[in-house]
Amino acid sequence: MLFNQVNEEGLTYEPLESGVALKRMLNFNVPPVKNSTGEPVWKVLIYDRFGQDIISPLLSVKELRDMGITLHLLLHSDRDPIPDVPAVYFVMPTEENIDRMCQDLRNQLYESYYLNFISAISRSKLEDIANAAIGANAVAQVAKVFDQYLNFITLEDDMFVLCNQNKELVSYRAINRPDITDTEMETIMDTIVDSLFCFFVTLGAIPIIRCSRGTAAEMVAVKLDKKLRENLRDARNSLFTGDTLGAGQFSFQRPLLVLVDRNIDLATPLHHTWTYQALVHDVLDFHLNRVNLEESTGTEGTPAGARPKKKNKKSYDLTASDKFWQKHKGSPFPEVAESVQQELESYRAQEDEVKRLKSIMGIEGEDEGAISMLSDNTAKLTSAVSSLPELLEKKRLIDLHTNVATAVLEHIKTRKLDVYFEYEEKIMSKSTLDKSLLDMISDPDAGTPEDKMRLFLIYYISSSQAPSEIDLDQYKKALMDAGCNLAPLSYIKQWKAFTKMASAPTSYGNSTPKPLGLFSRVMNTGSQFVMEGVKNLVLKQQNLPVTRILDNLMEMKSNPETDDYRYFDPKMLRGSDSSVPRNKNPFQEAIVFVVGGGNYIEYQNLIDYIKGKQGKHVLYGCSELFNATQFIKQVGTFNSYSVILITVITMTSVTGF
């Protein structure tokens, strides 16, 4: 039986190497030949839920088919034997999964078995597979066994998240739970470190690590440094030797890993946003690059006594192959609506040109055979016909973004999200407010109870001084009258009190979005988006706390906010408790990782920041990806003494390493 440990060569930023590693895995762990015209080897893909989540944002069903995958099935589903086809497995090395794989061997389900584990499999579990193969007389059928080190999910070329299955085990609430034991905390940290280790194995790079002191991020840094250090010392089995380091972009300068704790900034995850991708994630069901919409069934009423009609659910993939999405996902929403309209008008013009050419040639119908017969007589018609597949794809994307943008716009208008976004930006930048907070909370026509709660929490977090008890009681009454659940406020109060003791309040810059006035009744004649009453806000670049921390550490700036950040270099023979970086040169590449959960607002802010830094690259990662609804739900489940308890536990655990 062949047992190899596999890691991907080098690092490029388009895309993250996990996609390359997956394609190689599906080609029986041999790099696929580019421009190969031969038929692929037909095979079956067997994955668990973890494997499914890793593959689905990166490879479409069509791409899988092009690589010879005829069937893709869940490991624990009922599967029929296909004895003349090889099977590629991609699963976590759990006890349950190993048992099922051994059962497949005993049942002789497939011709041969290529076993790929998302994380490293232990020796004892490997022996279980070997024993099962011997018992089933199937040793010859087990072609390869690989550790893939792909225990993370790549959502964008420059964004990754650790897990989707069982994400509550590494959630903000799990890390900051008041009754957490040291053992449970160790397990959470080990889970995060295992995924980050896989990430750096896949990149083929050993980072310089910086982190804040006395936080969960420090616990991760200490454990990751130790794990990388131990792997480097084991020269025989090291995953960072040989070709791996020589081929990457990091062969001359290593990347910076900035580990930050979610607790440094709780306002941003609650903030209403104004860019397309972040809005889709905030107001729609957007999950692993797929958005699920409920389509309206029309305005006709349901007859009295009849069962109400079910709403149609439609799913759309928003991936790297969608050029419109790639271009506009970071744009302010009004720009997106305008661009969809422009794309639609461009498509209609092209469609009209094809129809005009058909008419000139005397072909009014849709008989493609007749068109092809005449195509050699007119270059224009040939060009028009050959562009039809491209036109159809363009129409599909226009329809997709029309539906998605319309659904977002509905939320903006009914909840007045533009007003909330502008007001929160003013609060966070300490600008003058044109309307009192009590009036905003009490306005029955503006926002849901959750919107109002988010607004008040941002005000409370951003205030340099907490409101007096009398004022707070007034706000609480207004929030309760608006139907708000006050549970999250109890936690934020305690968090705020501790943060004030520990450090200065977080700053969010001092620029606010510039309003260009209200949209007219429609953007232009024939527009599909009725933007009446929606503010046309232009964003100004301002660095959020996470971006500011990165800027300080990447550019080697001296700043009280980051001067005390710990410094780890896994390549050094001995670890140290130093905050003084040995490397004095600015970094060209960096990975920002948020322990406790991240969001698309921070991701977009980092992308906008790095655009102005020529030749530099940033990747954004987080232990989980949540929107404001999910985050406020987690915060609302804490007791009022959570912060104090978890702080004591975290500080004890960090110093106890």
Side-chain angles (χ1 to χ4, degrees):
M1 191 185 299
L2 179 65
F3 175 57
N4 287 324
Q5 292 183 313
V6 177
N7 57 320
E8 186 50 46
E9 293 183 8
L11 168 67
T12 58
Y13 278 88
E14 43 179 3
L16 273 174
E17 289 297 321
S18 49
V20 178
L22 282 175
K23 287 179 180 177
R24 187 180 61 188
M25 179 192 81
L26 295 173
N27 198 45
F28 305 123
N29 286 295
V30 177
V33 180
K34 287 184 179 179
N35 305 321
S36 174
T37 53
E39 281 273 310
V41 178
W42 301 111
K43 57 192 92 78
V44 177
L45 172 62
I46 310 297
Y47 47 42
D48 60 2
R49 293 287 182 191
F50 290 89
Q52 186 180 35
D53 289 343
I54 293 164
I55 291 171
S56 64
L58 291 170
L59 298 171
S60 66
V61 173
K62 181 185 181 301
E63 286 173 304
L64 289 174
R65 199 178 298 119
D66 290 343
M67 298 187 72
I69 303 296
T70 53
L71 272 175
H72 40 96
L73 303 163
L74 283 165
L75 176 66
H76 293 283
S77 62
D78 293 327
R79 290 174 280 118
D80 295 323
I82 313 176
D84 55 348
V85 171
V88 176
Y89 285 73
F90 185 51
V91 297
M92 288 290 281
T94 62
E95 202 76 51
E96 188 184 18
N97 286 350
I98 300 296
D99 288 347
R100 186 59 188 262
M101 292 164 83
C102 293
Q103 187 182 320
D104 287 358
L105 289 171
R106 286 190 289 270
N107 293 340
Q108 301 280 312
L109 288 191
Y110 307 110
E111 177 190 69
S112 54
Y113 302 82
Y114 294 79
L115 309 181
N116 299 277
F117 295 101
I118 295 167
S119 278
I121 185 172
S122 66
R123 179 105 191 152
S124 62
K125 286 175 181 168
L126 200 57
E127 287 170 358
D128 290 343
I129 294 173
N131 290 331
I134 292 165
N137 197 24
V139 174
Q141 278 75 50
V142 180
K144 289 181 181 178
V145 180
F146 276 80
D147 285 335
Q148 289 293 348
Y149 292 98
L150 287 171
N151 192 16
F152 58 94
I153 299 168
T154 303
L155 294 175
E156 301 282 347
D157 291 351
D158 42 21
M159 182 184 192
F160 68 99
V161 62
L162 291 199
C163 64
N164 175 50
Q165 300 296 320
N166 304 334
K167 63 182 178 183
E168 65 279 355
L169 299 180
V170 294
S171 66
Y172 178 82
R173 184 187 182 280
I175 295 169
N176 294 277
R177 203 158 47 89
D179 54 348
I180 193 169
T181 64
D182 283 352
T183 309
E184 287 171 330
M185 193 63 152
E186 290 278 323
T187 303
I188 293 170
M189 296 299 110
D190 287 340
T191 303
I192 293 172
V193 168
D194 177 67
S195 288
L196 281 173
F197 180 78
C198 288
F199 178 81
F200 285 105
V201 170
T202 302
L203 290 186
I206 297 165
I208 301 290
I209 306 169
R210 302 296 303 271
C211 70
S212 55
R213 293 176 182 269
T215 62
E218 184 180 15
M219 297 176 72
V220 171
V222 170
K223 281 179 170 285
L224 181 61
D225 174 64
K226 184 173 180 240
K227 187 157 185 158
L228 289 167
R229 194 180 294 278
E230 286 172 354
N231 190 266
L232 283 169
R233 279 183 189 161
D234 184 0
R236 190 176 163 200
N237 296 309
S238 176
L239 297 158
F240 296 96
T241 55
D243 297 334
T244 335
L245 294 178
Q249 288 185 10
F250 291 153
S251 50
F252 298 111
Q253 193 192 34
R254 289 156 61 197
L256 170 70
L257 170 63
V258 180
L259 290 166
V260 295
D261 195 282
R262 180 70 275 158
N263 282 314
I264 63 152
D265 173 19
L266 293 190
T268 299
L270 297 165
H271 189 19
H272 290 87
T273 181
W274 199 235
T275 54
Y276 190 26
Q277 185 178 43
L279 266 169
V280 168
H281 189 234
D282 188 13
V283 302
L284 303 179
D285 178 11
F286 184 48
H287 188 63
L288 295 179
N289 292 351
R290 174 168 290 180
V291 62
N292 300 302
L293 295 182
E294 282 192 349
E295 293 189 330
S296 55
T297 52
T299 53
E300 67 275 3
T302 307
R307 191 178 295 174
K309 288 184 181 178
K310 281 187 179 178
K311 287 189 174 180
N312 296 326
K313 285 199 172 183
K314 195 126 187 183
S315 295
Y316 301 103
D317 291 322
L318 301 173
T319 61
S321 61
D322 183 338
K323 290 178 183 176
F324 185 91
W325 177 248
Q326 289 304 304
K327 186 177 178 182
H328 295 291
K329 64 186 180 185
S331 302
F333 183 76
E335 280 183 28
V336 175
E338 200 167 345
S339 297
V340 172
Q341 188 60 31
Q342 287 168 358
E343 290 285 323
L344 183 60
E345 286 166 7
S346 167
Y347 165 77
R348 283 173 177 164
Q350 287 176 278
E351 189 182 45
D352 289 344
E353 177 65 10
V354 173
K355 287 178 181 175
R356 189 183 68 79
L357 286 168
K358 283 184 182 181
S359 178
I360 291 170
M361 300 301 295
I363 308 166
E364 297 296 341
E366 296 295 326
D367 186 353
E368 297 300 332
I371 292 174
S372 60
M373 284 171 59
L374 293 163
S375 62
D376 54 349
N377 296 327
T378 166
K380 274 192 176 181
L381 189 59
T382 304
S383 173
V385 171
S386 63
S387 69
L388 280 176
E390 189 184 325
L391 263 181
L392 289 171
E393 175 61 11
K394 191 173 185 179
K395 179 67 165 63
R396 184 187 72 80
L397 292 178
I398 290 167
D399 289 345
L400 185 163
H401 288 286
T402 299
N403 291 339
V404 172
T406 302
V408 170
L409 179 59
E410 191 63 33
H411 281 274
I412 291 172
K413 290 167 75 173
T414 54
R415 292 162 57 184
K416 296 190 177 175
L417 297 184
D418 52 332
V419 176
Y420 274 91
F421 167 71
E422 187 181 25
Y423 198 89
E424 287 165 6
E425 287 278 307
K426 286 179 178 177
I427 288 173
M428 292 164 79
S429 61
K430 308 286 192 291
S431 302
T432 308
L433 303 176
D434 51 3
K435 187 176 181 180
S436 80
L437 184 61
L438 269 177
D439 288 345
M440 281 288 291
I441 294 168
S442 305
D443 185 349
D445 299 323
T448 62
E450 186 186 277
D451 290 326
K452 296 173 192 293
M453 194 68 209
R454 284 166 63 179
L455 172 66
F456 181 72
L457 291 177
I458 287 170
Y459 162 75
Y460 195 92
I461 291 165
S462 304
S463 301
S464 50
Q465 195 169 352
S468 66
E469 283 302 316
I470 296 168
D471 288 344
L472 189 58
D473 286 343
Q474 265 190 308
Y475 286 127
K476 279 183 175 179
K477 185 180 183 306
L479 288 165
M480 287 176 72
D481 290 345
C484 297
N485 173 14
L486 296 184
L489 180 58
S490 302
Y491 175 78
I492 295 296
K493 274 180 73 176
Q494 295 292 332
W495 172 87
K496 174 87 171 174
F498 177 76
T499 307
K500 199 169 183 181
M501 283 193 298
S503 62
T506 304
S507 165
Y508 293 91
N510 55 13
S511 64
T512 55
K514 184 182 176 185
L516 294 181
L518 296 177
F519 275 104
S520 55
R521 187 177 57 83
V522 289
M523 284 187 303
N524 51 32
T525 309
S527 170
Q528 304 217 11
F529 300 99
V530 182
M531 304 286 283
E532 187 177 8
V534 176
K535 293 188 177 187
N536 188 7
L537 301 168
V538 178
L539 302 180
K540 285 188 176 180
Q541 174 61 23
Q542 60 183 34
N543 291 342
L544 292 173
V546 167
T547 306
R548 204 168 55 243
I549 288 166
L550 171 76
D551 181 52
N552 291 338
L553 297 173
M554 198 173 183
E555 300 296 336
M556 306 300 290
K557 295 177 182 176
S558 178
N559 190 299
E561 193 173 22
T562 52
D563 284 347
D564 195 38
Y565 269 50
R566 285 189 70 180
Y567 178 94
F568 297 87
D569 184 350
K571 281 192 172 183
M572 299 296 293
L573 285 173
R574 290 180 185 170
S576 71
D577 191 28
S578 172
S579 297
V580 181
R582 292 175 180 270
N583 170 36
K584 302 293 183 185
N585 298 319
F587 288 87
Q588 297 302 306
E589 290 92 10
I591 298 102
V592 178
F593 186 83
V594 187
V595 179
N599 53 77
Y600 281 109
I601 303 172
E602 277 174 346
Y603 163 67
Q604 190 57 50
N605 194 251
L606 280 167
I607 298 308
D608 292 340
Y609 157 80
I610 212 68
K611 279 177 186 171
K613 307 282 182 181
Q614 195 171 0
K616 300 203 173 193
H617 304 280
V618 171
L619 302 177
Y620 178 76
C622 49
S623 50
E624 66 164 330
L625 187 67
F626 45 53
N627 61 18
T629 300
Q630 293 158 342
F631 182 59
I632 210 167
K633 189 175 178 182
Q634 288 192 41
V635 170
T637 59
F638 286 112
N639 293 324
S640 59
Y641 56 90
S642 299
V643 179
I644 296 165
L645 270 175
I646 189 57
T647 302
V648 171
I649 290 168
T650 304
M651 298 292 265
T652 306
S653 301
V654 169
T655 52
F657 275 117

